[in-house]
Amino acid sequence: MLERASAVILSALQRKASLRSPMNNQSPEKDTMASKAKINRKIPPLQTPTSLSSPKLAPRQAQSATPQVEPIIAFYIFLAAHVIAAVFSPIQDCDEVFNYWEPTHYLNHDYGLQTWEYSPEYAIRSWTYVGIHASIIGFRQLFPSSTKTTEFYFLRMTLALLCAICETRLYSTISRTLNPRIALFFLMAMVFSPGMFHASVAYLPSSFAMYTTMLGFSAFMDWRGGLRTAQGIFWFAFGGLVGWPFAIALMLPFLLEELLLASLTTQAWEAFRRVLDGTARSFIVLALQLCIDTFFYRKLACVPLNIILYNVFSGSGKGPNIYGIEPWHFYVRNLILNFNVWFLLALITLPLLIFQHFLRKQSASKQTLLRGLVFATPLYLWLGIFTLQPHKEERFMYPAYPALALNAAVSIHILLSYFGSTDPRDFVSRIPAQLKLAIVSIFILGALDFGVLRATGMATAYSAPLKIYAPLQRPGVAHPGDNVCLGKEWYRFPSSYFLPDRVKAKFIKSDFSGLLPGEFSEAKVGFGFYPGAWLIPSGMNDENKEDLSKYTDIEHCTFLVDSYFPGTRPSEHEPSYMLDTDTWDRLSCEHFLDTPQTGSVGRLLWLPDWPIIPERHRRKWGQYCLLRRRNQSVLLAIVWASLAAARRFQAHKALSRPSTPDLEKPLYSSKFKAPSRGPGVWIPQTFKRPAAPPYPDWSLESTKPLPYRPFRYGPKYNVTMGLRTMHWDDWIELDNHFLKFHDMKSRRILERGAKCCKTAPEAFDGACELLEELCDYLPQRYPSLYRKTEVGMDNITTGESFNIVERPLIEDPMQMAARFVQDDLAIMFEKSNGQYYLLAGAILLAGFWRLEDKFGMPLSEIHTSGDVPQFKEKLEKGMMNFFKRVQPDKAVLRNNYFIQVDDELAWSPSIGGEDDDGIGWFTAEKNKAIQHHWFRSERQSLRRLPRSGGVVFTIRTYFHPIIEICEEPYIPGRLASAIRSWGNDVSKYKGKERYQDVLLEYLDCKHEEQVLNGLDLEQEDAVRAYPY
């Protein structure tokens, strides 16, 4: 390569000034704008302002005198450079890992980390793009000896190959259309720039757009056999739609050229046809992408549009700016580092073209000038657009790298042509040829060397994250279920492809306070293909707000990645784990550049650690290590033994506790006095719920729902909390409707999970405590349905396995809890003002209210906003006192009932749509036929969680047709009497006016029928007792 560069320089300086441009293999055809309209498109190629070829040479002879690199040789050079990059280039951007490598890992291995961008709520990442790359890895998996690490590097090698093919295509077009010398300089700029060292093999949409940009440039530049406008539009659109939509902007100069030429010729229809052809091809790509992304998201998702809407129109508090902003000169600084003098040369291309045309007065036509301006403009356009954006990242420049290299090649070609002039009027003609050669050689070779040294420096300084995970691949080191924890080094994680199968990356708290990735759902049975792509994950937002549920406790970490730099001070959340040798062993360590302690030269370039290098310029190093927990098996044995002993002791104490008193009797109120504590402060208690015996003869097929009929005879209707003591064995009631409820909840979670299941960050521990309580109780009470495991429990019937100890959890903890039981669930937490707030809930079958309306509200507002009758007068004080004094060892029950005039358990459409505003009984149809009347009863349990202090509601709904329950003795008469006893406020609250005429008439008739058939009214108390 260097020999070729020297030959080019020498040939440039040895020739005399010429009258014809070497970029132009000019035909004798008349050079006018109208000549573009010829059918065969024999358009004169572009001329440059200054020539290096001899006027004595014919055009073909001049071209042959220029040292050339054949396209196949150029391909090998490009490929060799990118293969080196694929092996040694560190991953620069965590976005590459978490937004592309991890979703690909999910498609290939069924698990991986998930960012908010992949939540169906936002859908701003394309599964089409990820799926293409996952298919490449899937092809590699067909062959033997396929490990996840080899899959990672196989994909990188494939990207290197694709980039080399695209570069070679553009190189060949430049050589043929412009000049072989320009093509050779283009090759130098692309191969030796540190920017391409990263961009060529980066798994990023911007790199993908860079590939298609080169193909688009080639199509628009190559006019052999006719214009290739349609092909150019297709390639730019393909890169923009599948990759990065903003890259389409690079096509604008070429389209404007097409429009201008069409307006100046008689071939406007031909131009329109070409544009229409390219547009049609682009819409085919868009349609295929829509189908693929809609398949994965299970909803119509136009990802390119979503990306534009989020980045441009998202409004304050959202959009890219929340991830940081940079000054206007950010790209100038970065491009100088990544392209050194090539970038500076690229910036002066436009002035040079204008200078040579108007001042040097070379024999270049207006058409040639136009083409030169079109080729040079994309880089300026791209720089202008992205310099104006406050949020800047180096990868945003990737699509314009080929334009930069082309501009730089044109500039150096023009400058060398002038520098080689022998025209006595030019000052440079007085410089000896050998001195010119020396100056230019130093300049060119210096640029190449600077690029190599910088790329080498970055590869040697920051490659540790690609190396330290190697010991995990050794037999016996890591096992399925182990966790590799990431704290302050989370953003350098190179992806799950570097971890053994089923060894997962987890996050521990660091000083970073933004939103970390969660995990794709690993649900399988009954969920179809890739449910993690369309199940709505918990804790996601588009405002970069921290979600504490994404963190795991460090006690669950088998391995830990940490770094140590001598000049860095540890903090509360970022201690020096490497120095904690009592807990951690160093499994693998690599050098990592200590940038604060290293001088500017050492940070910019590779420098050997030779004694002759001054100390201030030498590179300083820290340690980047993979740590392993010491004596893990012994520690686990001690922990488990301690827990088992504590549980046995607590269970023995709990069995001797007195039964729960009746909360509605003041005589017992003193027993609920809590330990002294301030508002919002909870002191964890050691109470352990008594072990529950198996439910007698419980069967998923034959155990019927309990016949709750919680209404009393009138004429008086009492508005009270209606609390009664709960026996611990009866906390959760399951019956033969379980599978119906389970399926209905699963469907609701898929459709409305994020609206119906929520956990505030401060309530996460309480929600996890509820999971622990349920996983302890349910296998005890219903052993034929649930089986306890080390990490949670299994549902024997549905085949579901629930892991409640992993962090992050696979889904919102309340959402997971909702799958266990037929109940809706809610947890109230006390804040510093003494009020209890609804901060966690899974409300999927409520019928008449929505969690999204009540979430975050205090207890009083929840009831007043729902117009609960006589709440202020009779309920509020007692309810507030109860919440303040209830203790973990006491639990209570209450029941209520409603009439519903439709048969939808989850949401009653009679009061309005579930997403409508202004819902209410006023929308219900009046006096529908009795077949549409349903009896809705709720059994609610209330208890306090001992560790977190949250007050848990379980809300089990029983739902039966009125005509069904009225076949039971005494029910029609008692229900009619109860309904007639409602006051006006209760009647309004329960919608009595909408159904009373039909319902009461039916109840009276059924009651009369039962009496005529011999029903003994005096025996009701002996047969039934409240709440049955």
Side-chain angles (χ1 to χ4, degrees):
M1 172 61 70
L2 298 182
E3 291 177 355
R4 288 281 183 180
S6 299
V8 170
I9 297 166
L10 186 60
S11 67
L13 297 176
Q14 286 178 337
R15 293 203 190 97
K16 304 299 182 182
S18 66
L19 300 177
R20 189 172 300 281
S21 169
M23 292 176 65
N24 173 31
N25 305 323
Q26 181 80 1
S27 70
E29 184 180 9
K30 185 179 179 180
D31 184 13
T32 64
M33 298 293 280
S35 66
K36 285 182 61 68
K38 292 187 178 292
I39 298 298
N40 293 327
R41 287 313 205 213
K42 297 178 180 178
I43 300 172
L46 173 65
Q47 290 179 312
T48 49
T50 310
S51 174
L52 299 181
S53 60
S54 170
K56 299 178 181 179
L57 296 176
R60 191 173 301 277
Q61 292 174 314
Q63 179 173 327
S64 63
T66 301
Q68 299 183 51
V69 174
E70 293 298 322
I72 187 62
I73 302 300
F75 168 75
Y76 291 138
I77 295 172
F78 284 129
L79 182 61
H82 301 333
V83 166
I84 294 172
V87 175
F88 296 107
S89 175
I91 296 177
Q92 282 196 308
D93 196 328
C94 65
D95 199 58
E96 178 180 351
V97 171
F98 296 122
N99 269 326
Y100 305 104
W101 282 110
E102 286 299 315
T104 305
H105 189 274
Y106 170 68
L107 295 183
N108 291 131
H109 298 281
D110 299 324
Y111 68 95
L113 298 172
Q114 180 183 23
T115 62
W116 69 268
E117 290 98 325
Y118 282 92
S119 170
E121 291 182 285
Y122 308 107
I124 64 170
R125 293 290 180 261
S126 175
W127 284 105
T128 305
Y129 174 70
V130 173
I132 292 171
H133 295 77
S135 300
I136 296 171
I137 291 179
F139 175 76
R140 174 64 181 89
Q141 291 174 329
L142 298 176
F143 296 90
S145 304
S146 177
T147 67
K148 292 203 295 182
T149 306
T150 60
E151 291 168 7
F152 176 89
Y153 284 106
F154 179 78
L155 180 56
R156 270 197 157 192
M157 293 291 184
T158 304
L159 295 177
L161 175 63
L162 291 174
C163 187
I165 292 172
C166 296
E167 287 171 312
T168 304
R169 170 72 175 126
L170 182 55
Y171 167 87
S172 177
T173 301
I174 294 171
S175 179
R176 190 172 54 250
T177 305
L178 302 182
N179 187 277
R181 265 196 305 276
I182 296 177
L184 188 57
F185 288 130
F186 169 80
L187 184 148
M188 293 179 192
M190 295 291 278
V191 168
F192 290 98
S193 66
M196 283 300 297
F197 182 69
H198 295 293
S200 60
V201 295
Y203 182 7
L204 287 167
S206 50
S207 284
F208 183 80
M210 180 183 72
Y211 304 160
T212 57
T213 293
M214 288 187 277
L215 297 176
F217 267 55
S218 298
F220 276 113
M221 292 172 65
D222 190 358
W223 285 355
R224 292 182 308 162
L227 271 67
R228 293 175 172 81
T229 304
Q231 187 183 116
I233 292 174
F234 168 78
W235 283 120
F236 277 108
F238 187 62
L241 294 173
V242 177
W244 199 31
F246 301 103
I248 295 176
L250 288 166
M251 176 175 57
L252 293 179
F254 297 101
L255 291 182
L256 290 175
E257 180 193 33
E258 183 81 15
L259 178 63
L260 176 62
L261 296 178
S263 66
L264 297 177
T265 66
T266 60
Q267 298 296 313
W269 167 249
E270 289 296 319
F272 175 76
R273 185 189 58 79
R274 290 191 296 269
V275 173
L276 183 63
D277 184 7
T279 304
R281 300 184 195 186
S282 304
F283 271 104
I284 293 173
V285 174
L286 179 60
L288 291 173
Q289 182 184 31
L290 277 174
C291 292
I292 295 172
D293 288 337
T294 298
F295 168 79
F296 278 97
Y297 283 121
R298 295 291 178 91
K299 71 172 191 177
L300 185 63
C302 183
V303 172
L305 177 61
N306 292 345
I307 292 174
I308 293 172
L309 292 177
Y310 176 77
N311 284 278
V312 181
F313 303 105
S314 54
S316 62
K318 299 181 180 181
N321 293 351
I322 64 175
Y323 299 98
I325 60 176
E326 298 291 344
W328 67 268
H329 49 78
F330 174 85
Y331 289 126
V332 174
R333 291 184 286 111
N334 274 270
L335 290 173
I336 288 176
L337 289 176
N338 287 321
F339 282 88
N340 53 76
V341 297
W342 302 108
F343 173 62
L344 300 177
L345 289 168
L347 287 182
I348 62 173
T349 304
L350 199 58
L352 284 176
L353 287 173
I354 296 174
F355 170 78
Q356 63 87 23
H357 184 79
F358 291 103
L359 298 182
R360 302 266 316 160
K361 300 188 181 300
Q362 297 295 315
S363 57
S365 66
K366 293 181 180 180
Q367 173 197 311
T368 300
L369 176 63
L370 173 63
R371 296 237 74 196
L373 296 178
V374 169
F375 294 167
T377 302
L379 175 65
Y380 296 99
L381 175 65
W382 193 258
L383 274 175
I385 291 173
F386 283 91
T387 298
L388 293 175
Q389 307 307 310
H391 178 66
K392 299 177 177 67
E393 295 188 41
E394 183 179 323
R395 60 191 167 96
F396 293 171
M397 288 292 108
Y398 287 2
Y401 280 1
L404 186 154
L406 175 59
N407 278 22
V410 171
S411 291
I412 197 169
H413 175 76
I414 295 173
L415 291 174
L416 286 178
S417 299
Y418 174 71
F419 198 59
S421 171
T422 57
D423 189 334
R425 294 172 297 177
D426 294 332
F427 171 77
V428 295
S429 64
R430 306 171 190 174
I431 303 175
Q434 295 302 318
L435 180 57
K436 289 182 181 181
L437 177 61
I439 294 173
V440 174
S441 298
I442 292 173
F443 179 82
I444 298 295
L445 299 180
L448 303 184
D449 291 341
F450 186 92
V452 171
L453 289 175
R454 176 156 175 78
T456 304
M458 298 186 72
T460 55
Y462 305 114
S463 61
L466 297 178
K467 299 177 180 178
I468 62 166
Y469 298 95
L472 296 177
Q473 311 300 329
R474 297 199 295 259
V477 176
H479 305 87
D482 286 347
N483 294 331
V484 177
C485 291
L486 309 164
K488 64 188 177 191
E489 294 299 328
W490 68 269
Y491 60 97
R492 292 192 177 111
F493 176 57
S495 84
S496 297
Y497 281 99
F498 285 80
L499 305 181
D501 192 41
R502 312 312 298 183
V503 174
K504 296 185 178 182
K506 304 289 182 179
F507 299 106
I508 58 175
K509 189 72 180 79
S510 66
D511 289 339
F512 176 73
S513 58
L515 181 65
L516 289 170
E519 293 188 16
F520 285 103
S521 172
E522 297 174 37
K524 293 183 176 65
V525 179
F527 286 90
F529 292 103
Y530 302 114
W534 52 272
L535 290 172
I536 297 177
S538 63
M540 296 298 188
N541 63 80
D542 59 352
E543 299 175 340
N544 199 28
K545 293 181 179 178
E546 185 176 28
D547 175 28
L548 298 179
S549 68
K550 299 296 189 295
Y551 299 111
T552 192
D553 193 295
I554 196 170
E555 296 302 321
H556 298 146
C557 301
T558 314
F559 304 93
L560 177 67
V561 176
D562 194 32
S563 60
Y564 174 73
F565 301 100
T568 303
R569 298 181 61 181
S571 65
E572 177 185 358
H573 295 303
E574 296 182 355
S576 296
Y577 295 107
M578 291 174 60
L579 302 182
D580 182 10
T581 54
D582 293 335
T583 306
W584 303 99
D585 283 327
R586 299 188 183 187
L587 184 62
S588 174
C589 287
E590 296 287 340
H591 288 305
F592 198 92
L593 188 68
D594 188 352
T595 52
Q597 303 298 320
T598 302
S600 299
V601 177
R603 291 198 305 270
L604 293 176
L605 305 173
W606 175 80
L607 292 177
D609 293 327
W610 294 343
I612 59 173
I613 303 295
E615 180 66 25
R616 68 179 183 276
H617 295 312
R618 292 187 188 179
R619 298 197 290 178
K620 307 299 189 299
W621 300 98
Q623 289 287 305
Y624 194 92
C625 295
L626 175 65
L627 309 178
R628 176 169 56 183
R629 188 178 292 277
R630 298 189 62 188
N631 300 322
Q632 184 182 11
S633 59
V634 176
L635 289 173
L636 285 176
I638 294 173
V639 169
W640 280 111
S642 301
L643 288 175
R647 286 171 179 167
R648 286 195 297 270
F649 175 72
Q650 291 168 0
H652 175 75
K653 288 180 65 180
L655 290 173
S656 64
R657 295 182 183 275
S659 60
T660 306
D662 189 339
L663 293 177
E664 295 192 294
K665 296 182 179 179
L667 175 65
Y668 294 96
S669 62
S670 62
K671 294 188 178 182
F672 283 89
K673 289 182 178 178
S676 177
R677 61 184 179 86
V681 177
W682 175 252
I683 302 171
Q685 298 189 21
T686 59
F687 169 74
K688 174 69 177 178
R689 175 192 54 77
Y695 192 107
D697 301 321
W698 188 86
S699 168
L700 189 59
E701 292 78 27
S702 59
T703 300
K704 295 181 179 180
L706 294 177
Y708 288 107
R709 310 293 181 255
F711 41 85
R712 305 178 190 270
Y713 281 103
K716 185 178 181 180
Y717 180 87
N718 296 312
V719 178
T720 67
M721 289 179 65
L723 301 178
R724 64 185 189 277
T725 300
M726 185 191 81
H727 194 284
W728 282 109
D729 297 347
D730 301 327
W731 180 32
I732 301 293
E733 293 181 349
L734 304 180
D735 51 50
N736 60 3
H737 287 188
F738 174 81
L739 290 179
K740 181 178 74 173
F741 276 66
H742 182 273
D743 292 345
M744 189 180 304
K745 282 189 169 188
S746 297
R747 186 168 61 253
R748 295 273 292 169
I749 287 171
L750 295 180
E751 296 171 352
R752 305 181 60 84
K755 294 183 177 181
C756 297
C757 302
K758 294 185 179 184
T759 304
E762 62 268 34
F764 180 76
D765 182 62
C768 291
E769 186 181 4
L770 175 60
L771 287 176
E772 296 166 11
E773 291 285 332
L774 289 170
C775 286
D776 187 49
Y777 171 85
L778 292 171
Q780 295 173 357
R781 190 62 168 164
Y782 304 99
S784 62
L785 179 62
Y786 285 111
R787 178 175 55 243
K788 192 171 179 60
T789 66
E790 291 184 357
V791 296
M793 68 179 181
D794 295 340
N795 186 313
I796 299 169
T797 300
T798 65
E800 295 168 296
S801 293
F802 300 101
N803 187 331
I804 67 169
V805 300
E806 66 176 349
R807 295 294 183 274
L809 290 171
I810 200 170
E811 59 183 335
D812 182 278
M814 297 301 293
Q815 184 169 294
M816 181 182 291
R819 300 182 191 274
F820 298 172
V821 296
Q822 292 170 248
D823 307 60
D824 280 341
L825 303 165
I827 313 180
M828 310 288 294
F829 290 88
E830 186 183 27
K831 291 191 176 182
S832 58
N833 61 0
Q835 294 283 328
Y836 278 80
Y837 291 78
L838 176 55
L839 298 181
I843 308 299
L844 294 158
L845 309 174
F848 295 107
W849 66 282
R850 303 172 291 205
L851 178 65
E852 57 185 327
D853 294 336
K854 309 293 185 182
F855 192 78
M857 281 187 180
L859 184 65
S860 296
E861 188 178 353
I862 289 173
H863 290 81
T864 56
S865 64
D867 296 323
V868 175
Q870 303 177 46
F871 174 77
K872 285 289 185 181
E873 299 88 340
K874 294 187 176 181
L875 297 177
E876 183 176 33
K877 183 177 179 181
M879 193 177 293
M880 296 302 297
N881 288 336
F882 165 73
F883 271 79
K884 289 178 180 178
R885 69 187 185 222
V886 66
Q887 292 299 293
D889 61 337
K890 308 297 188 289
V892 297
L893 292 171
R894 69 181 299 270
N895 290 77
N896 61 25
Y897 69 98
F898 298 89
I899 304 299
Q900 189 170 321
V901 291
D902 55 67
D903 60 356
E904 296 293 333
L905 171 61
W907 176 260
S908 174
S910 298
I911 66 169
E914 193 167 2
D915 293 313
D916 293 348
D917 295 327
I919 57 175
W921 275 105
F922 59 88
T923 66
E925 182 181 343
K926 191 173 182 179
N927 291 326
K928 296 174 72 173
I930 194 62
Q931 290 81 2
H932 299 292
H933 290 60
W934 286 66
F935 177 74
R936 184 184 190 99
S937 173
E938 293 180 349
R939 173 195 182 267
Q940 301 176 2
S941 76
L942 291 84
R943 57 168 294 196
R944 191 186 289 275
L945 297 170
R947 186 175 74 232
S948 64
V951 178
V952 176
F953 284 75
T954 68
I955 309 165
R956 169 62 199 282
T957 301
Y958 296 84
F959 198 53
H960 305 281
I962 284 290
I963 58 177
E964 178 183 301
I965 69 168
C966 283
E967 296 301 318
E968 301 170 9
Y970 305 104
I971 292 301
R974 178 151 57 98
L975 180 56
S977 177
I979 292 174
R980 287 188 170 99
S981 72
W982 296 348
N984 291 335
D985 52 354
V986 176
S987 296
K988 180 180 178 182
Y989 177 65
K990 297 196 176 190
K992 176 180 174 181
E993 184 265 340
R994 292 287 156 172
Y995 50 76
Q996 61 178 346
D997 296 340
V998 171
L999 178 60
L1000 290 174
E1001 180 182 359
Y1002 178 79
L1003 294 176
D1004 291 342
C1005 289
K1006 293 298 292 185
H1007 175 66
E1008 183 178 350
E1009 180 183 310
Q1010 290 183 355
V1011 172
L1012 290 175
N1013 288 335
L1015 182 69
D1016 187 352
L1017 299 179
E1018 299 297 328
Q1019 295 298 314
E1020 181 173 1
D1021 290 342
V1023 176
R1024 289 182 175 274
Y1026 185 86
Y1028 301 105

